[in-house]
Amino acid sequence: MPTVSKVLNGRSDVSRATRTKVERLLETHGYRRRGQSVSRSPLIEIVFHELDSVWSMELIRGVENVAKENRATVALTESGTRHTPAPDWLPGVLRRRPLGVVLVFSALPKDVKRRLRAAAIPFVVIDPAGDPDPDVPSVGSANWAGGLAATRHLTDLGHERVAIITGPEDMLCSLARLDGYRSALALAGLETDPRLTRFGDFHVRGGFTHAVELLDGPDRPTAIFAGSDLQALGVLEAARVRGLRVPEDLSVVGYDDVPPAQWSSPPLTTVHQPLRHMAEEAARMLLRPDAPGTAAQRIELATHLVVRQSTAPPERA
C-alpha cells in the first residue's frame, strides 16, 4: 500500500516501471478515490498551449463562472503545443491535486490519461483545435455547420468568387470548416478554386498575409471567409492598405464572435462559436459526482451566424 499511495500522490521516489504497473492495475480494476479522505486543492486547472488571445480569455471566463459557483479558484497553465501538453506538466498537476483539469488540446498521450485516471483527477478536453480520442471526454462545437453557414451567407448574397483562410492544416476544426465551405459552394453550383484556399494560423498577421496574396492575385475574390475573427481582422487591414472598401469591394466573414468582432470597422459578420458556454460545460462535467475519467462523453454545441456590416452583395461592373 505505501507504493500505491506514492503513485496516487505523484511522488517522484517510485521507479518508472513500478509506477506504470501500479497505474495500469488501478485502471484495470476501476479504482477511484472518491469517498476516501483525500486532500484536494479547491481549484480547477485550465491548460493552454498559448494564452495570448481573446479566444483564450473567453474560455477562461467560462471556467471562472463555474468555479465561482462552486467556491473554487482557477489555475492557468501554459504548456506544450496545440496538440498535447508538455511532459513536465504532469508531475506538477499530480502534486497540486486539483478538482479537475480542462485541457485545450486536440489529444492526450496514453501515459497522461492513465496517470490522471490513476490519481482520480477528472479531465475534459475542449476541442476547437481538433477531435480527441474516443476515450477522452470533450466539449466541442459544430465546425462543419459553421463553415457552411458562413459561406452560404456569402453565396446567397451573390458572391461567386469566395476565398477561405482557414486554420492550420493539421487541425480537424480547420478541415471541418473548410469542408463546410466546399459544401456551401457545391450547393450554390460553384466549383471550388484551389487558388482561393489558404491555411492560416488563426492570428491577425496570418490573416493579413494571406489576404494580401489573395487580393493581389488575378481575378481577386469578392468575399473572404476567415476561419477566426483574428484572421478576419487581418483581412480587414489588408483590404484597407489595398484601398478596398468593406463591404462594397470585399465582403468579410469571421469565426468565433469574440468581443472585438463587433467593434471592428465595419462590425464583423461572423460565426458565433459558444466558447464561454463550452468552457462552462467542461467545468461542470468535472464537478459532477460522476465526473469523467474512464467513460468518454462528448458534448457538441451549436454555432450560428451573426450578420453585421462587413458583408453585402458584390458590386457589379
Side-chain angles (χ1 to χ4, degrees):
M1 286 301 293
T3 301
V4 174
S5 177
K6 289 179 181 180
V7 172
L8 289 170
N9 287 286
R11 294 270 296 273
S12 59
D13 53 341
V14 180
S15 72
R16 183 183 182 91
T18 299
R19 180 186 304 279
T20 300
K21 182 178 179 180
V22 171
E23 289 169 345
R24 285 176 176 166
L25 284 171
L26 292 172
E27 185 174 9
T28 299
H29 292 283
Y31 179 80
R32 288 291 176 272
R33 295 197 301 180
R34 281 185 283 275
Q36 295 187 20
S37 177
V38 177
S39 175
R40 284 194 181 275
S41 302
L43 61 86
I44 299 172
E45 185 158 342
I46 180 167
V47 190
F48 296 88
H49 80 279
E50 62 179 4
L51 289 169
D52 60 349
S53 73
V54 290
W55 181 89
S56 301
M57 288 305 303
E58 286 297 290
L59 296 178
I60 292 168
R61 290 190 181 101
V63 174
E64 284 182 333
N65 289 343
V66 175
K68 288 177 183 177
E69 294 171 2
N70 292 272
R71 298 184 179 180
T73 57
V74 177
L76 305 179
T77 300
E78 188 173 32
S79 176
T81 68
R82 60 178 177 257
H83 295 293
T84 60
D88 60 2
W89 166 75
L90 188 58
V93 75
L94 293 176
R95 289 192 301 271
R96 289 187 290 274
R97 298 210 51 76
L99 298 173
V101 181
V102 175
L103 296 134
V104 189
F105 297 96
S106 57
L108 282 180
K110 291 182 180 179
D111 181 62
V112 172
K113 292 185 288 186
R114 183 178 68 248
R115 295 184 67 180
L116 289 175
R117 287 168 177 154
I121 298 176
F123 59 89
V124 178
V125 170
I126 295 180
D127 69 340
D131 192 15
D133 296 333
D135 64 338
V136 175
S138 65
V139 179
S141 68
N143 288 294
W144 180 86
L148 179 78
T151 312
R152 286 198 72 172
H153 172 66
L154 294 169
T155 58
D156 287 347
L157 287 172
H159 292 277
E160 296 181 355
R161 286 191 60 74
V162 180
I164 180 172
I165 306 171
T166 189
E169 195 168 2
D170 60 352
M171 288 188 175
L172 290 185
C173 67
S174 305
L175 300 177
R177 293 169 197 176
L178 177 60
D179 284 344
Y181 158 85
R182 289 169 173 164
S183 297
L185 292 182
L187 288 170
L190 301 173
E191 292 187 4
T192 301
D193 185 344
R195 295 172 298 176
L196 298 181
T197 297
R198 296 287 190 280
F199 290 96
D201 59 5
F202 289 143
H203 293 294
V204 176
R205 172 59 64 180
F208 174 83
T209 301
H210 286 295
V212 167
E213 292 176 358
L214 289 164
L215 297 176
D216 285 350
D219 198 12
R220 66 172 178 81
T222 62
I224 297 178
F225 165 38
S228 74
D229 288 341
L230 295 180
Q231 288 186 152
L233 294 178
V235 175
L236 293 178
E237 177 62 12
R240 186 191 69 80
V241 299
R242 287 298 182 264
L244 299 175
R245 300 166 300 163
V246 176
E248 293 86 355
D249 302 318
L250 179 72
S251 285
V252 181
V253 178
Y255 201 105
D256 288 330
D257 195 24
V258 294
Q262 60 185 307
W263 299 109
S264 64
S265 182
L268 188 64
T269 294
T270 185
V271 175
H272 178 80
Q273 181 174 214
L275 296 170
R276 198 174 300 192
H277 188 192
M278 288 161 60
E280 290 171 348
E281 287 293 327
R284 290 190 181 106
M285 287 171 70
L286 295 174
L287 298 176
R288 289 201 313 261
D290 59 337
T294 54
Q297 177 185 0
R298 177 173 176 81
I299 296 175
E300 184 172 277
L301 302 179
T303 54
H304 66 270
L305 187 71
V306 179
V307 179
R308 297 193 180 104
Q309 284 78 57
S310 66
T311 53
E315 289 194 348
R316 303 297 181 184

